[in-house]
Amino acid sequence: MDSDSVRGINRRRLLGWGGLAAAGVVAAGAPLVGARSGHAVAAGHRPAPTDPDIPPATRPGGAYDRYVAKLAAEGKFSGVVLLSHKGRTVLSRSYGMADKEKGIHNHEGTAFSLSSAGKPFGAVAILQLAQQGKLSLSDTVGTHLKGYAKDIAEQVTIHHLLSGTSGLNTPDEDVQRIFQSRKEVHEYHKQWARQSKVVAPPGTPTGHSGADVAIPAQIVEAVTGMTYWDYVQESIFKRCGMTGSAFYTRPQWLTDKHIAHPYMKVADGSVVDAVRNLDQGSPYPYVLGKNPGRSFIDAPGDGGFATAPDLVRFAHALGDGTVLDRPWADVLTGAKIPHGSASFGAYGIPVSIVNGQWVFGRAGGNPGVGANWSIYPYTGWVGVILSNRDSDGVSLQEIIGRQTQAITGASPGDGGGG
């Protein structure tokens, strides 16, 4: 796990729910028009030139489009950006290579590593089970799991874990270990989470520790009898129509032409493929700590891969009752813990108020990986940024800020995502 991704990504950027369905977005799986690399969507699917709900900065050729194109031209961005308004693609751009060795370009159908941007899937899974009456958010860890210290088992609740108020501290992961199977990854993280210790009274805002993600995933498995990966694939990705999304394994990452390889900068200034250069036989062993290619599959509760259109489908599904009944979607995104003047913690996502409206979503990052999805429920906008290359001096936070500025008119420092 990447420790809440780039904590440099401002928690202010993700928003609390509000009314995606009421804002008029279409159902999950609504068709999203394909776009060639570096080109906008087909003219018939663009908003009318006079549509007052489409700010000029969001349109093809607008300020945001020009900004991302400039970054790509300077070698500072490789990936996909997508802006959707009420179910219609307004802007879709793809830049750079998904796999340089094989000459495969990024495109709208490319799946990117999500890192921490995939953590909210775990919170959605827990709330689905709560909605079905199979667990309660007030259940303690010991209600469903064995092997945890007594103070954790009897005092820490699911609510504490999802809201970042568990008071737990989890040891650092072994970032140099190379896993060889799903079973090995599963067993390692099961034991790793059980090494957590209570360092503050449960209910105290302490940020998200590794256990805050790993333990809910274990509870999903205990309640359903399925692996976390299989449950999310069946009950979230499949229900949302996210056909390009999955918890891919390293062998799939190496061979599937639809999955973007992460390109990370190493000590000598060169940029290398983080999947192909992942072990001690590489000339770049352990260059940047956690190489995303080292794990056989993402840890339960974390990560996954998704395409940009699939993340839009996920956003719509949160608003129209596809994955959670509306009251439970409100529980997911409702502000729980204040983090700043207009930013809050929800369940697995930061939420914030930007320029008078709620925004929510999630960002994540690892070497060569940057991902963010942001939802603007009052106006029906969804923004996605997926990157597979380390940039020179341009943070994901900055790109998110430019996206939010284009959609809401806020200053670039006010983000939505994170």
Side-chain angles (χ1 to χ4, degrees):
M1 300 176 196
D2 64 335
S3 180
D4 245 11
S5 124
V6 207
R7 277 204 202 226
I9 294 178
N10 218 315
R11 286 184 177 275
R12 303 175 46 166
R13 33 206 80 236
L14 304 174
L15 273 308
W17 201 222
L20 191 55
V25 298
V26 299
L32 291 168
V33 182
R36 295 180 181 179
S37 177
H39 292 271
V41 296
H45 293 267
R46 293 176 187 164
T50 57
D51 188 338
D53 292 332
I54 309 298
T58 64
R59 297 171 180 271
Y64 181 61
D65 189 13
R66 297 195 306 271
Y67 166 74
V68 177
K70 184 174 184 293
L71 292 183
E74 295 172 348
K76 298 178 179 179
F77 179 79
S78 172
V80 173
V81 296
L82 191 154
L83 299 179
S84 173
H85 180 251
K86 297 183 178 179
R88 292 196 299 176
T89 299
V90 174
L91 179 71
S92 178
R93 300 295 199 193
S94 304
Y95 297 98
M97 306 296 291
D99 187 339
K100 292 181 181 179
E101 183 174 293
K102 296 182 179 178
I104 301 171
H105 291 265
N106 285 321
H107 56 87
E108 199 181 66
T110 301
F112 291 78
S113 175
L114 295 177
S115 190
S116 281
K119 287 178 178 175
F121 300 142
V124 171
I126 286 287
L127 290 176
Q128 286 180 335
L129 299 176
Q131 176 181 306
Q132 297 164 22
K134 295 180 178 179
L135 57 77
S136 169
L137 296 175
S138 61
D139 288 348
T140 60
V141 171
T143 305
H144 302 282
L145 301 175
K146 297 179 180 179
Y148 281 90
K150 184 176 180 179
D151 52 358
I152 297 176
E154 296 182 356
Q155 298 177 34
V156 177
T157 68
I158 295 174
H159 165 75
H160 291 146
L161 295 163
L162 295 183
S163 62
T165 61
S166 68
L168 295 180
N169 181 58
T170 311
D172 292 337
E173 293 179 74
D174 181 357
V175 297
Q176 295 188 351
R177 180 166 177 172
I178 298 172
F179 296 92
Q180 304 298 333
S181 68
R182 282 167 51 119
K183 181 178 180 180
E184 188 179 344
V185 172
H186 190 277
E187 184 61 24
Y188 171 84
H189 287 91
K190 177 181 176 181
Q191 298 305 323
W192 171 69
R194 280 166 168 74
Q195 298 173 42
S196 302
K197 297 185 182 301
V198 176
V199 295
T204 304
T206 49
H208 287 275
S209 72
D212 290 348
V213 176
I215 295 177
Q218 292 176 18
I219 292 173
V220 169
E221 294 181 334
V223 171
T224 65
M226 303 171 67
T227 68
Y228 173 83
W229 304 303
D230 291 342
Y231 179 85
V232 172
Q233 189 75 45
E234 183 69 23
S235 299
I236 297 179
F237 294 167
K238 185 176 180 179
R239 286 170 66 174
C240 294
M242 298 168 66
T243 57
S245 301
F247 291 94
Y248 294 117
T249 63
R250 188 169 66 235
Q252 290 173 304
W253 206 347
L254 285 166
T255 58
D256 192 325
K257 65 181 181 180
H258 296 101
I259 307 174
H261 287 221
Y263 290 91
M264 68 180 190
K265 180 170 284 189
V266 297
D268 64 5
S270 61
V271 175
V272 302
D273 185 326
V275 180
R276 290 196 173 98
N277 294 281
L278 58 84
D279 56 30
Q280 290 176 321
S282 162
Y284 309 101
Y286 315 133
V287 189
L288 290 177
K290 186 178 180 184
N291 178 332
R294 296 188 192 286
S295 184
F296 188 85
I297 191 172
D298 280 314
D302 200 6
F305 294 76
T307 67
D310 275 358
L311 290 173
V312 174
R313 293 183 178 102
F314 174 66
H316 293 169
L318 282 177
D320 67 14
T322 297
V323 287
L324 288 171
D325 288 348
R326 181 57 186 280
W328 289 99
D330 291 339
V331 171
L332 174 73
T333 57
K336 313 279 191 309
I337 308 296
H339 289 155
S341 59
S343 60
F344 310 86
Y347 278 167
I349 58 175
V351 302
S352 57
I353 301 170
V354 177
N355 211 24
Q357 63 172 294
W358 280 112
V359 182
F360 66 88
R362 186 63 195 246
N366 265 322
V369 171
N372 179 78
W373 49 272
S374 298
I375 302 172
Y376 305 78
Y378 286 5
T379 54
W381 283 93
V382 179
V384 177
I385 303 163
L386 296 172
S387 173
N388 68 321
R389 187 189 190 282
D390 287 338
S391 61
D392 293 316
V394 179
S395 66
L396 178 59
Q397 177 181 349
E398 179 181 327
I399 303 174
I400 297 169
R402 292 298 188 108
Q403 171 195 275
T404 303
Q405 180 186 33
I407 291 173
T408 69
S411 64
D414 294 328

